[in-house]
Amino acid sequence: MFSLVRIWQEFLNIVREESGSPLVETWFKAVELKKWDTIEKIAYLQAPNAFVQEWIINHYMHLFIRHLGRLLNESSLSIKFVQENNVPLPMANSLSPLRPAQLYEAPAGRKISPQKVAKIYPNPRDPLNNNYLFENFIVGPSNELAYAAAYAITENPGKLYNPLFIYGGSGLGKTHLLHAIGNTIKQKIKKVRIVYQSADRFIQEFINAIRFNRIYQFETKYKDVDILLVDDIQFISHKEQTQEAFFHIFNTLYQSQKQIVVSSDSMPKDIVGLADRMRSRLDGGLIADIQPPSLETRIAILKKKAENHQISLSDTIAHTIACAAYLNIRELEGALIRIIAFTTLTHQEITIDLVKKILTQAPPEHKKNFDLPLIAQHISRHFSYSLEELRSSNRNKKLTLARHIAMYFMKKHTECSLREIGTFFARRDHSTVIHAFEKIEAAKKKDKSLCEKLSRLEEEMQF
Ligand code: ADP
Ligand code: MG
């Protein structure tokens, strides 16, 4: 089914992949793709307030033209911002001296040449992000083990903890640490060969290598390195062939004492669909976790990040922001950037009242409180299945219904991407999640008792 929600989700995935999550969290998450006029070739978007709208128009229009255009299969689309029922946007009235942009139209048919695009974007394959360093990683009780281990291996790569396995929730600094390791070693050792790769891209590369008969080049690229940094290894679950390839690369590097660092959203034992031998390899080094940061750490992070923008935050203001954005560091950064951007743009001082106003107008993040395992556990218990059964590929009818309900709640009540939800369940890609969601939505309309059951479950889980 042609679904705008799905296209928008895909657009966010691409931007996240290319420009990083903070950008998506800060600006795009609360924007909706309302309508696609195939005849006029206009995509209608709705922003939560005039400020976000203006900022996007001024800074990120090229992303729409480029990626949304491709997703909608239209190289010369226009973008228009609309408001709900033509009600003036709240920020335009109460906060912002910006012109209340009622309807913005990107230059119709504006095309960006490939050369220009290449200039705008850093090479996504450039392996290391220079901004992710140990120096700007704030250490607190929640991440000190991971930090210390990461730092230690840069002093003695391959010898100390091999592999180093860092795991923790989204936005807590795993990618930052992986890059910091790479950047530091690069400075210390001349001509060191470092490869950073997300498991996602690794899979893609592997598939292409098979398709184009380039397995030898693929293996050489990875076996010929001194430091291998693999991010988000959980995405390799249930990809047997890729795991096999990774297993061989791993062994080769390990045997010659090359450093391997892997990050994941969970411990090796909790990654479903990982071959036992791969699991035991990953288990064999040091496993370090990163937990959500405490209030003190969040305040320290905020102050440091503000300093980087030559802004000093008072204790009260830092405290207020840290209390409002508590789930992870990405969210914290997003809140700070919104505040800085807004106050700079409107030439205002950062005051506590202004901060409160900006934060309350931020997109609601509370959805993230509910994580996938929590929902899965509740649903499996309710239907008297084990968690393993719920996540398995068993298609027993009652089990399938339970699984669909779990996916439905996950899509509805978490901010996890469809792919994350799919990965949580064995072998299921994002289209399965959409299918489950649509199925339950449709069934709800016909089946009153299902409707009641869902409401009861929602109450129990206190969504
Ligand atoms: P993950 O890979 O765990 O999802 P990231 O490494 O992408 O998280 O971190 C999200 C954002 O938060 C990044 O911009 C990163 O620089 C920042 N960040 C995470 N942890 C810290 C920290 N301890 N100190 C400073 N910035 C951090
Ligand atoms: Mg990451």
Side-chain angles (χ1 to χ4, degrees):
M1 196 188 78
F2 176 81
S3 146
L4 290 180
V5 176
R6 192 162 162 184
I7 287 181
W8 185 246
Q9 195 68 41
E10 202 54 43
F11 170 75
L12 296 186
N13 286 342
I14 294 170
V15 176
R16 192 176 282 124
E17 169 92 346
E18 188 174 81
S19 309
S21 298
L23 186 86
V24 174
E25 305 292 317
T26 314
W27 301 112
F28 291 116
K29 267 265 278 293
V31 175
E32 282 176 61
L33 174 56
K34 295 305 263 190
K35 196 176 133 195
W36 166 231
D37 183 335
T38 44
I39 298 167
E40 297 293 328
K41 307 198 190 332
I42 300 172
Y44 291 89
L45 302 176
Q46 191 182 313
N49 55 50
F51 171 58
V52 170
Q53 174 177 316
E54 284 277 336
W55 190 266
I56 289 178
I57 288 168
N58 291 332
H59 296 83
Y60 302 119
M61 217 57 199
H62 56 279
L63 291 178
F64 291 124
I65 309 280
R66 188 182 186 208
H67 298 308
L68 209 53
R70 195 157 51 81
L71 289 168
L72 292 168
N73 219 356
E74 183 53 62
S75 61
S76 58
L77 84 171
S78 306
I79 302 288
K80 279 187 181 176
F81 273 92
V82 288
Q83 294 168 26
E84 206 160 12
N85 312 324
N86 265 348
V87 177
L89 289 167
M91 265 177 108
N93 286 342
S94 58
L95 273 172
S96 167
L98 305 170
R99 85 192 130 87
Q102 293 284 337
L103 192 74
Y104 175 84
E105 192 170 346
R110 177 175 147 195
K111 284 182 189 159
I112 297 186
S113 69
Q115 288 82 353
K116 195 150 176 212
V117 166
K119 259 193 216 150
I120 296 172
Y121 294 97
N123 178 1
R125 297 209 168 270
D126 185 5
L128 293 174
N129 180 336
N130 299 331
N131 296 322
Y132 289 162
L133 303 167
F134 285 120
E135 291 89 282
N136 57 19
F137 189 85
I138 314 286
V139 187
S142 56
N143 58 23
E144 63 191 348
L145 175 63
Y147 171 86
Y151 192 79
I153 57 169
T154 65
E155 312 238 279
N156 219 342
K159 307 282 182 331
L160 206 51
Y161 309 124
N162 209 11
L164 170 61
F165 187 95
I166 300 175
Y167 77 94
S170 160
L172 295 180
K174 302 180 297 293
T175 299
H176 188 131
L177 280 182
L178 255 55
H179 284 271
I181 293 171
N183 283 321
T184 308
I185 296 181
K186 201 163 83 178
Q187 275 191 346
K188 285 189 178 169
I189 309 172
K190 275 201 185 110
K191 293 199 180 156
V192 65
R193 292 160 304 175
I194 302 176
V195 167
Y196 165 91
Q197 191 65 296
S198 71
D200 237 14
R201 284 233 168 105
F202 183 85
I203 296 164
Q204 268 318 312
E205 260 191 304
F206 177 67
I207 292 170
N208 286 339
I210 293 184
R211 191 184 299 157
F212 301 113
N213 234 341
R214 294 165 54 92
I215 276 292
Y216 176 76
Q217 287 90 328
F218 172 81
E219 286 189 345
T220 313
K221 167 177 171 187
Y222 284 97
K223 287 183 177 172
D224 227 13
V225 303
D226 303 308
I227 315 283
L228 177 62
L229 310 162
V230 182
D231 212 354
D232 290 320
I233 193 80
Q234 73 273 11
F235 289 124
I236 210 174
S237 71
H238 292 294
K239 305 270 189 294
E240 283 87 4
Q241 265 190 300
T242 316
Q243 282 187 35
E244 173 108 19
F246 182 64
F247 183 74
H248 289 297
I249 290 165
F250 186 103
N251 286 343
T252 308
L253 296 178
Y254 183 78
Q255 275 152 19
S256 39
Q257 293 196 317
K258 306 295 190 193
Q259 180 68 50
I260 302 156
V261 185
V262 172
S263 87
S264 169
D265 66 349
S266 46
M267 292 170 82
K269 77 172 174 51
D270 294 329
I271 304 177
V272 273
L274 199 62
D276 284 343
R277 58 181 190 168
M278 197 59 249
R279 196 187 308 278
S280 73
R281 285 289 188 284
L282 295 175
D283 256 332
L286 178 71
I287 299 185
D289 67 325
I290 307 188
Q291 296 294 330
S294 65
L295 180 64
E296 291 76 23
T297 311
R298 296 202 302 278
I299 292 176
I301 290 173
L302 275 172
K303 289 195 150 191
K304 177 88 184 183
K305 300 233 169 212
E307 252 173 50
N308 295 343
H309 294 271
Q310 276 95 43
I311 285 170
S312 113
L313 288 183
S314 75
D315 288 345
T316 338
I317 287 179
H319 188 271
T320 308
I321 306 173
C323 286
Y326 51 87
L327 290 167
N328 62 45
I329 295 167
R330 187 173 292 136
E331 188 204 358
L332 200 64
E333 254 186 342
L336 179 68
I337 294 171
R338 265 197 306 272
I339 290 164
I340 294 180
F342 182 80
T343 47
T344 317
L345 209 74
T346 58
H347 309 290
Q348 297 187 60
E349 287 278 309
I350 303 183
T351 63
I352 195 94
D353 285 347
L354 193 54
V355 164
K356 281 186 181 155
K357 259 185 185 168
I358 296 172
L359 289 178
T360 48
Q361 284 175 343
E365 289 279 354
H366 59 269
K367 273 172 142 191
K368 267 192 184 157
N369 274 341
F370 303 100
D371 61 0
L372 304 185
L374 205 82
I375 295 174
Q377 227 158 37
H378 194 92
I379 301 293
S380 56
R381 212 175 300 140
H382 179 91
F383 285 90
S384 308
Y385 289 112
S386 69
L387 195 57
E388 284 68 38
E389 282 171 313
L390 193 76
R391 293 172 85 173
S392 72
S393 43
N394 183 331
R395 294 191 185 191
N396 163 309
K397 207 168 160 196
K398 197 172 148 228
L399 181 57
T400 305
L401 175 67
R403 195 177 292 128
H404 282 175
I405 291 178
M407 288 182 185
Y408 171 79
F409 283 138
M410 287 169 177
K411 176 162 166 2
K412 194 166 163 202
H413 293 297
T414 76
E415 291 287 302
C416 294
S417 69
L418 295 172
R419 203 184 46 167
E420 279 168 322
I421 299 172
T423 311
F424 183 84
F425 291 93
R427 274 178 208 275
R428 293 180 173 82
D429 66 16
H430 68 287
S431 61
T432 321
V433 183
I434 301 220
H435 171 72
F437 186 84
E438 284 168 355
K439 220 166 161 168
I440 297 292
E441 280 277 338
K444 252 174 78 179
K445 288 190 188 126
K446 288 191 217 133
D447 184 344
K448 212 168 146 222
S449 78
L450 176 72
C451 231
E452 282 164 9
K453 183 184 247 166
L454 294 176
S455 306
R456 237 186 355 262
L457 281 166
E458 281 183 325
E459 259 170 46
E460 281 168 21
M461 287 188 272
Q462 299 179 339
F463 283 135

